[in-house]
Amino acid sequence: MKVAQRALGDTSAPDYVDRLRFPADPWRLVETEFGSEDMGTTETLFSIGNGYLGLRGNIEEGHDAYAHGTFINGFHETWRIRHAEEAFGFARTGQTIVNVPDPKIIRLYVDDEPLLLSIADLPEYSRTLDMRTGVLTRDLLWRTPAGNRVRVRSRRMASFSQRHLAIMQFEVTLLDREAPIAVSSQLLNRQAGADEYRSSPGGAVGFDPRKSENLNERVLEPRIHRAHGDHLMLGYQCANSGMTLAVAMEHSYEFDGDVQTETEIQPDYAKQVFRFHAQPGRTFSLTKVVTYHTSRVVPARELGDRCHRTLTRVKSEGVDKQFDDQEAWLADFWARSDVEVDGDDRVQQAIRWNLFQLAQAAARGDGQGVAAKGVTGSGYSGHYFWDTEIYVVPFFVYTSPGIARNALRYRYRMLPKAVERAGELAQHGALFPWRTINGEEASAYYAAGTAQYHIDADISFAIDKYVKATGDDEFLAREGIDILVQTARMWADLGFWRNIKGDGSSFRIHGVTGPDEYTTVVNDNLYTNVMARFNLRAAAAAVRKLASMWPDQYRKMVARLGLEDAEVIEWESAAEAMAILWDEDLGIHPQDALFHERELWDLENTPPEQRPLLLHFHPLVIYRFQVLKQADVVLALFLQGDQFSDEEKKADFDYYDPITTGDSTLSGVVQSIMAAEVGYHELALRYFWDGLFVDIADLHSNTADGVHVASAGGVWSALVHGFGGMRDYGGVLSFDPRLPEAWPEMRFRLTQKGTRLLVTLRAGEIAFTVEEGQGLTVMVRGERVSVLRGEDVVVPLAHQGPRLPGAPDASAFHGTMRADGSVVTASLPAVVEMDGEGEH
């Protein structure tokens, strides 16, 4: 992980980025110089997608690349997981997102010389991702080996309004003298890295669990390849998953002169070549329209018919309309979603880039989940995690509720397999998979995967947030209630009652892993217990609400799920008696029952070359220490903040923040939120910068594998929940702001039950304006504020919360005594150097 060396008191945005190459612009990400050394990172940064279809920012010429990638959300291959030692209930089916046929290739030859960016003479170069238009453009001037200057411009777009559609445009203009030109537009199945002339095996990659599996066998089996009029089509079926795909492309061009065309199509390859002589100043313009259709059950030939219809419709409507629709869609998105921070274009650019990535990851998923890398790369194999419900769905709940609903409906579609999975693990109810695409558990390492039962509560948390914020009781009655009931059943069955002398009866949950993957399979993990308590209460409340408001739907649900009244009473009892551990000696909540019996890992003296820990230490070494991969207790303090006192939050944060490594990009944004709430305003900004620039500056050295979508969602949460101080307990929005001292003003939008509220925050006031809808009542530091349409309401603020300098003292708990009389110390595991033969 790259760490910027900055004084904690420095509250200005860090200069992580080369601003000569990537200038600050509030609406665009611009690259002014081509670079081959960080091609993987820029391929991710300049990816385009719509939640269904994603195209990595590979250059058009197609030869120079870190990782070619075109992905469709949910389109995957399966494979049998082979465990070295099998055990009952281990995950059996691996799932990996498939790199589908690549449409981005448009190669240029002038005087039979190819344009290859890595060696080309480029007096001018720029590449721009415009977040208002959703279009990636490139403009370059190429001086050929013969000295002829050639202007080359291109545009690329994945449509938000037509999710199956991508459009590429390519323009060539000679500036000096006549020359023969060839433009080769291709559609290529890059199985195992192959192109039409050779196979590129790629470099060896060391161990990194964050990367995707490599599939060595053929994945896409050809089903169709044909030319139908101007349409060139390829169709496939995945060898094991059986999923089907069809892709088709159509070309049109504008040129004042004769053009010869050649067409070639093979099972893994379609190509159309345009040859002509060009005079200086005369432009050849090529438009390439591509469409993908996929299915779990429909044959490839039928999908091919859908491709034909899509291309025919686009031709009748015109390409310009597609670009206009794209801009209109994004104008509406930004009107609902934009967060504005005055005073620094670097910050504004990065904020909008992160929010734009959320749209690209989920907007047109339409019944699919949200992968950890969206559709920008194959990292984490394209799997869906709890990231979706905790980090991504909240953004859409308050800005684009329809997108949130679609993501939650995908979890409902997974419910039957979650019920099966619970049965495999000897549990009633439903247990959702830790990582998956098709609903089956795909985590081969159960300790840090399957054991994270808290995913049930995370999904239920997102459902409850969505229903309360939107008033969508119809979703609750028809689908959400089934998830709440089945997850509550799982908790009631997993936990057990125990009488503790002098402490009464309590409900315990053993043998689980919390969000912190550096501590696994523990008893009474605080986060799990707190969120399970929420899940049990939310399920009971939803059942009672349904019985009262919609008796017909209630009766259907009871019949469908076989629910008994005694179950609901049991959930409520278990929730009230849930074990929430407390350490009297340290004055904090233990992360789990045995966490404080371990020694502290001395993070301050851990060499940077040994970070992240998961790449340098065996899990068993890490498990023996008090050290966190990511926020665990601190995340519980945020999500269930009304269940903890201000004093408890401060004490817990002071203890856990210094032993949190930040090895996970899920952590910094949560630590920023809680640092802001308890008063560490400088630290809150530092964590915010790390989340804000995690991809743009490649802070974890793995942006090449795809966008960190959960961190992008966390950036919004850090802005709105952290600095904006917004909380939503029980469906009532409240505000207790923490605006950074260096920020003159911040503006953000929130939508609740059809009312869109513009919130403007300044040092001395918070203002509310209804932009859409009738009005809303909110709370500001305990005072009720009603905001009606047509009124601007300004509430004076006496302060921006407590202001504590610095950060928690990492050594504050060193030397303290445990309950058993032992002393807490900090140390590091011994590192034994090995030679090349594995000898000491």
Side-chain angles (χ1 to χ4, degrees), residues 136-198:
L136 175 68
T137 60
R138 192 187 69 177
D139 191 336
L140 60 85
L141 184 64
W142 172 36
R143 183 181 287 110
T144 71
N148 205 352
R149 292 176 303 150
V150 186
R151 174 69 64 188
V152 183
R153 292 189 173 100
S154 64
R155 292 204 297 171
R156 185 185 299 171
M157 181 262 281
S159 174
F160 283 111
S161 58
Q162 305 286 341
R163 73 177 187 137
H164 298 281
L165 178 67
I167 298 175
M168 283 136 271
Q169 294 183 318
F170 193 83
E171 292 184 356
V172 183
T173 307
L174 295 182
L175 300 185
D176 295 321
R177 56 185 178 274
E178 177 186 2
I181 292 178
V183 176
S184 176
S185 177
Q186 302 172 17
L187 181 61
L188 177 64
N189 178 21
R190 293 184 179 275
Q191 181 63 45
D195 67 18
E196 72 273 33
Y197 300 117
R198 60 181 171 82

Side-chain angles (χ1 to χ4, degrees), residues 558-584:
V558 168
R560 188 167 64 241
L561 301 178
L563 182 67
E564 298 179 0
D565 291 342
E567 291 186 80
V568 181
I569 297 171
E570 180 188 10
W571 302 342
E572 292 171 326
S573 299
E576 292 308 310
M578 184 68 69
I580 307 298
L581 303 184
W582 178 257
D583 188 317
E584 290 288 352

Side-chain angles (χ1 to χ4, degrees), residues 22-59:
F22 299 98
D25 184 293
W27 280 106
R28 304 181 305 157
L29 182 66
V30 180
E31 179 188 40
T32 62
E33 180 181 345
F34 175 73
S36 56
E37 71 287 346
D38 61 349
M39 195 176 297
T41 298
T42 56
E43 285 172 1
T44 293
L45 296 182
F46 290 96
S47 293
I48 58 169
N50 58 19
Y52 170 76
L53 170 64
L55 291 79
R56 278 178 66 79
N58 303 119
I59 58 179

Side-chain angles (χ1 to χ4, degrees), residues 49-119:
N50 58 19
Y52 170 76
L53 170 64
L55 291 79
R56 278 178 66 79
N58 303 119
I59 58 179
E60 283 81 354
E61 291 68 36
H63 289 301
D64 299 316
Y66 169 86
H68 293 289
T70 304
F71 303 102
I72 293 176
N73 190 355
F75 188 80
H76 68 280
E77 178 62 310
T78 57
W79 45 278
R80 182 183 175 187
I81 299 175
R82 298 184 181 276
H83 300 274
E85 296 183 13
E86 290 282 352
F88 180 81
F90 275 13
R92 295 181 298 273
T93 305
Q95 303 140 53
T96 301
I97 195 169
V98 173
N99 191 356
V100 300
D102 183 1
K104 300 183 294 292
I105 309 163
I106 304 177
R107 292 180 177 148
L108 173 64
Y109 303 84
V110 177
D111 280 325
D112 293 330
E113 296 288 345
L115 172 59
L116 295 173
L117 262 61
S118 57
I119 61 173

Side-chain angles (χ1 to χ4, degrees), residues 605-625:
N605 293 306
T606 301
E609 61 269 18
Q610 292 180 1
R611 305 280 293 274
L613 302 186
L614 80 164
L615 299 186
H616 300 280
F617 296 91
H618 190 282
L620 287 176
V621 175
I622 299 173
Y623 295 165
R624 295 186 183 111
F625 285 83

Side-chain angles (χ1 to χ4, degrees), residues 281-426:
R282 298 167 73 176
T283 299
F284 173 83
S285 300
L286 178 69
T287 296
K288 179 179 187 177
V289 180
V290 182
T291 182
Y292 291 82
H293 286 265
T294 54
S295 177
R296 294 179 186 269
V297 295
V298 176
R301 289 188 178 276
E302 182 177 336
L303 297 179
D305 293 339
R306 298 179 187 179
C307 288
H308 287 312
R309 287 194 291 271
T310 299
L311 293 179
T312 300
R313 184 183 67 251
V314 171
K315 187 172 184 178
S316 66
E317 293 176 346
V319 168
D320 289 345
K321 181 181 186 302
Q322 313 310 318
F323 284 98
D324 291 343
D325 288 349
Q326 180 86 336
E327 192 165 352
W329 191 98
L330 280 165
D332 191 42
F333 170 79
W334 290 115
R336 303 187 309 269
S337 313
D338 198 13
V339 179
E340 300 163 274
V341 173
D342 291 343
D344 193 331
D345 284 348
R346 297 172 301 167
V347 174
Q348 190 64 73
Q349 177 190 54
I351 289 172
R352 286 186 174 132
W353 185 88
N354 278 277
L355 300 187
F356 184 68
Q357 297 312 311
L358 294 172
Q360 293 204 130
R364 296 307 310 274
D366 294 12
Q368 296 294 333
V370 183
K373 300 296 184 181
V375 285
T376 65
S378 61
Y380 289 114
S381 302
H383 290 169
Y384 313 135
F385 293 77
W386 70 304
D387 307 16
T388 298
E389 283 74 28
I390 296 301
Y391 292 88
V392 177
V393 167
F395 165 73
F396 290 114
V397 164
Y398 297 108
T399 60
S400 303
I403 298 174
R405 189 181 200 272
N406 280 335
L408 294 173
R409 288 198 71 245
Y410 188 65
R411 290 297 192 182
Y412 174 75
R413 289 171 52 197
M414 282 186 183
L415 188 57
K417 287 191 178 296
V419 172
E420 290 180 17
R421 183 60 175 162
E424 285 184 334
L425 273 70

